[in-house]
Amino acid sequence: MKNYLIHDEWKIIEEGFHPQYNKVSESIFSLGNGRKGGRGNFEEKYSGETLQGNYIAGVYYPDKTRVGWWKNGYPEYFAKVLNAANWIGINITVDGEELDLNNMIIESFQRVLNMKEGTLSRCFVASFKDGRKIKITSLRFLSIVSPEIGAIRYSIQPTNFSGKIKITPFVDFDVENEDSNYDEKFWVGEYLENLGNEGYLTAHTKKTKFLVCSGMKYNVMVDGKEHAVHIENESRDKYIESTFEIDTQKGQEVTLYKYGVNTSSEYFNKSRLAYESKELLNEAFETGFDQLLADHIAAWAEKWETSDIIIKGDVAAQQGIRFNIFQLNQTYTGEDERLNIGPKGFTGEKYGGSTYWDTEAYCFPFYMATAPQKVARNLLVYRHKHLGKAIENAQKLGFKNGAALYPMVTINGEECHNEWEITFEEIHRNGAIAYAIYDYVRYTGDKDYLAQYGFEVLLGMSRFWSQRVNWSEHKNKYVLLGVTGPNEYENNVNNNFHTSNMAVWTLKYTLESIDFLKEKHSETYKSLCQKTGFDEEKETAKWNDIVAKMYFAWDDERQIFLQQDGFLDKDLTPASEINPAERPISQHWSWDRILRSPYIKQADVLQSLFWFEDRYDNDFLTRHFDFYEPLTVHESSLSSCVHTVLAAKIDKPEKAYEMYLRTARLDLDDYNNDTCDGLHITSMGGTWMAVVMGFGGMRVRNNKLCLNPILPSGWSGFSFKLYFRGVHLLVKVTNKNVEIDNLSNMPIEVEIFGKDVTLKDQISLTI
Ligand code: BGC
């Protein structure tokens, strides 16, 4: 755990340079705008520890996997979102010596991520070996108004000398992925233009043939006045630079305004890509840095208006939650249903930028409650678009008749995870996708979604479950064999509670959806049956049978569902007894020892109880929590949020807060020592759930928004906003009362602490 960043409500501040944590800082100071993003790298050369990273949404490469032991059905490749052109580069040379913080004496240094405004700035003074000091002040942002555009203001000031300063802005497309399996480079240069203060590079990806253009254009000011410079351009394959020299006087400030453009064939016609990039860049150049920045800040203000959470009396907690919200908003903006959320967003390469069940299980509620409805809807449509591939995926594994198995990891709908126990066995992901459809319909009331897209997906998944279970003569029940639940520290288990529960629930929900469609969309239903060859009578007869006769392992003595068959045979010593020097066990124990142990990586049975808590009373939930939580090592960042929400629900506020602390500042404090690889973006959605569903007690029941807030003891109050069925609400919790403001022009009935109240338009209610 690290504690080197200054606590502040709106900013992340690194005071003094910490080169030993530079890769951690680069992740934390990342910028993104939903369409592209990059790590908090320096503009100028840095020869110390760094991971240069710039990523463009949807642009990937199918890298060969390194699995030696191939089996039928293994995916051919592991998709990777590609490290793309470094467009931020500005190299500085003073009388032949390069500015490189790794080789200089740093007099002062500050790096700031301004979350309110969406900018990254640095200010430092550093001296060369001969004592000449130089001051750099920089500010950069990736516009959330014009997503192809980024801009940098970079000022250089010789503080104790006069002399020649050479400045070289550049764009470097000759980049590689740190995680490339065979050290292969993935970009092939195509078009290059480099003239005066403007230049463009176009490259395509091998195999996938995405075309990307990155360009730069700049101007220079000296002491606030436009300054003409003599430029020398140099180009080579996938690289352009442009150099000029300025004779500076001591104390004079030279400012370079560098504008960058990044476009891809996902959004522009390939044959016009360079032309369109030029147009966009020149438009940004004409608009100017200050105006672009002002527009960008105004757009961020709108995002904060609907998604901010305010925590009073605890600056560290306030900073933590805002950081999570900021990164979620930087990662996914919801305009394009082809895009999704990678576990690391645009902040690193781990997990390949691909989509996991994380989106539906942990991120979905955040976007649903804080952004316009189409944002969450687009996340669902993303899966609908991949239905054909999910059916193919199931076919490859031997399933028939339109059965759909969504991939555990994907970028284009194909499975690309290469560990068999996850690829073939972690099928509960299908359940998460079904649950998100249900959650969306329940939250927004948009039931018609089922007719348009939802039913087809549910049908494919129900067909899968009905073929994946088998009848056990011995048990006289249906069973689900050879699966891996969310707890990846157990593989190939039989009758994992969560997986079986999701299977049965999906069948039931699909049956309910059929009733709804028959009643309200009978024509659409008929044509969907035709399109999918759905034999309702025959297929649903089997589904009903499974629903009635599914096996769940149950312990009579403890009155709990068992995580899987045989769980009680394990040595059930609680995780608190593990030698702290051996934690995390994933880094200290052999895989074999982990598999035999009772230790649970992340919520598994409890994941189901979290989703379906309405079925059970608090005693039931408490019994399960008290049995499973002590065996849980929380070695996935996705674990604590579920435990926070459940602990708050079963009246264990201290446990809820303890769990919350593990997720709230996970990256800011580098809790798991792995922030250098990138941020835990999907777990940030979980942190939002921990506050709003955990401490806020927000649920939807019987078409009504229900709130049951508690206040963590270290906070003097907190507030959050929610969109709910066309109404915008502000919920404020203090140690004295709960106040709910209806910010819309429409009355709404909500349930607070179990009582129904009607909130009239623009009226606030204090309880
Ligand atoms: C977790 C999975 C998750 C993946 C990506 C793993 O460590 O166990 O549940 O989908 O990380 O975040």
Side-chain angles (χ1 to χ4, degrees), residues 343 351 356-358 408 426 486 488 601-602 636 638 682:
Y351 297 114
Y356 287 63
W357 74 304
D358 302 28
M408 184 63 180
E426 224 177 308
E488 292 174 347
K601 184 181 179 188
Q602 66 203 84
S636 159
L638 304 172
T682 47

Side-chain angles (χ1 to χ4, degrees), residues 143-269:
S143 172
I144 55 166
V145 181
S146 317
E148 295 83 10
I149 298 297
I152 306 167
R153 185 176 63 208
Y154 193 89
S155 301
I156 308 140
Q157 190 182 35
T159 61
N160 64 353
F161 69 98
S162 301
K164 280 195 167 48
I165 299 186
K166 196 163 93 178
I167 303 176
T168 308
F170 65 89
V171 180
D172 184 3
F173 223 138
D174 197 14
V175 290
E176 54 193 36
N177 269 53
E178 193 187 44
D179 69 350
S180 141
N181 270 341
Y182 293 88
D183 298 329
E184 203 186 340
K185 287 195 176 174
F186 302 130
W187 293 103
V188 180
E190 276 207 3
Y191 165 84
L192 179 157
E193 182 182 318
N194 190 15
L195 207 62
N197 66 341
E198 190 175 352
Y200 300 87
L201 282 169
T202 305
H204 73 252
T205 53
K206 291 183 187 165
K207 290 190 192 166
T208 38
K209 305 280 184 244
F210 289 105
L211 196 65
V212 169
C213 177
S214 292
M216 65 170 180
K217 183 161 180 169
Y218 63 87
N219 63 318
V220 185
M221 314 265 262
V222 175
D223 283 342
K225 288 199 196 83
E226 199 71 40
H227 190 86
V229 287
H230 173 74
I231 296 172
E232 283 182 17
N233 296 101
E234 220 181 284
S235 318
R236 53 174 191 267
D237 183 35
K238 294 187 277 180
Y239 180 86
I240 52 172
E241 65 173 38
S242 140
T243 301
F244 58 91
E245 236 176 23
I246 295 198
D247 242 331
T248 46
Q249 299 305 309
K250 184 171 126 185
Q252 221 171 26
E253 191 176 62
V254 178
T255 302
L256 174 79
Y257 288 91
K258 182 179 179 186
Y259 302 82
V261 68
N262 292 284
T263 52
S264 84
S265 50
E266 286 292 90
Y267 295 94
F268 298 91
N269 193 305

Side-chain angles (χ1 to χ4, degrees), residues 290-309:
D290 292 343
Q291 189 58 49
L292 287 173
L293 179 60
D295 295 345
H296 172 74
I297 294 173
W300 265 109
E302 277 177 35
K303 283 209 183 280
W304 284 114
E305 189 52 39
T306 59
S307 58
D308 194 19
I309 290 181

Side-chain angles (χ1 to χ4, degrees), residues 1-291:
M1 178 150 158
K2 305 184 176 62
N3 188 10
Y4 70 102
L5 298 169
I6 291 173
H7 293 177
D8 180 277
E9 293 192 346
W10 277 109
K11 292 176 179 156
I12 311 298
I13 305 167
E14 180 188 4
E15 194 66 66
F17 184 40
H18 299 77
Q20 71 280 30
Y21 303 147
N22 190 43
K23 283 170 86 174
V24 175
S25 302
E26 286 178 338
S27 301
I28 291 174
F29 289 90
S30 291
L31 290 178
N33 64 7
R35 286 270 285 277
K36 63 179 177 185
R39 291 169 54 82
N41 302 134
F42 297 164
E43 284 84 3
E44 72 283 349
K45 175 181 176 163
Y46 183 64
S47 59
E49 275 281 292
T50 174
L51 168 61
Q52 297 287 311
N54 295 281
Y55 309 96
I56 296 186
V59 175
Y60 70 93
Y61 181 79
D63 200 12
K64 287 192 288 283
T65 52
R66 273 188 179 277
V67 180
W69 194 256
W70 213 260
K71 291 201 170 61
N72 273 345
Y74 271 28
E76 300 283 321
Y77 64 87
F78 188 74
K80 297 195 160 140
V81 71
L82 291 189
N83 207 343
N86 167 8
W87 67 273
I88 64 169
I90 302 170
N91 282 336
I92 308 291
T93 312
V94 176
D95 283 338
E97 263 197 85
E98 268 185 317
L99 175 69
D100 174 356
L101 285 185
N102 194 36
N103 297 324
M104 297 172 80
I105 298 162
I106 301 171
E107 315 272 339
S108 65
F109 177 96
Q110 193 187 55
R111 171 157 45 178
V112 178
L113 185 69
N114 183 328
M115 300 184 283
K116 192 172 193 172
E117 305 192 336
T119 60
L120 169 60
S121 61
R122 270 187 312 148
C123 182
F124 63 86
V125 177
S127 40
F128 293 97
K129 290 197 182 75
D130 63 4
R132 275 172 308 174
K133 282 193 210 313
I134 190 162
K135 179 175 176 190
I136 303 290
T137 319
S138 71
L139 184 113
R140 87 169 178 254
F141 62 94
L142 296 182
S143 172
I144 55 166
V145 181
S146 317
E148 295 83 10
I149 298 297
I152 306 167
R153 185 176 63 208
Y154 193 89
S155 301
I156 308 140
Q157 190 182 35
T159 61
N160 64 353
F161 69 98
S162 301
K164 280 195 167 48
I165 299 186
K166 196 163 93 178
I167 303 176
T168 308
F170 65 89
V171 180
D172 184 3
F173 223 138
D174 197 14
V175 290
E176 54 193 36
N177 269 53
E178 193 187 44
D179 69 350
S180 141
N181 270 341
Y182 293 88
D183 298 329
E184 203 186 340
K185 287 195 176 174
F186 302 130
W187 293 103
V188 180
E190 276 207 3
Y191 165 84
L192 179 157
E193 182 182 318
N194 190 15
L195 207 62
N197 66 341
E198 190 175 352
Y200 300 87
L201 282 169
T202 305
H204 73 252
T205 53
K206 291 183 187 165
K207 290 190 192 166
T208 38
K209 305 280 184 244
F210 289 105
L211 196 65
V212 169
C213 177
S214 292
M216 65 170 180
K217 183 161 180 169
Y218 63 87
N219 63 318
V220 185
M221 314 265 262
V222 175
D223 283 342
K225 288 199 196 83
E226 199 71 40
H227 190 86
V229 287
H230 173 74
I231 296 172
E232 283 182 17
N233 296 101
E234 220 181 284
S235 318
R236 53 174 191 267
D237 183 35
K238 294 187 277 180
Y239 180 86
I240 52 172
E241 65 173 38
S242 140
T243 301
F244 58 91
E245 236 176 23
I246 295 198
D247 242 331
T248 46
Q249 299 305 309
K250 184 171 126 185
Q252 221 171 26
E253 191 176 62
V254 178
T255 302
L256 174 79
Y257 288 91
K258 182 179 179 186
Y259 302 82
V261 68
N262 292 284
T263 52
S264 84
S265 50
E266 286 292 90
Y267 295 94
F268 298 91
N269 193 305
K270 280 188 183 174
S271 62
R272 290 173 55 83
L273 194 66
Y275 172 79
E276 301 271 9
S277 305
K278 245 182 187 176
E279 294 267 295
L280 283 167
L281 186 57
N282 277 291
E283 205 182 298
F285 190 80
E286 292 308 320
T287 306
F289 187 89
D290 292 343
Q291 189 58 49

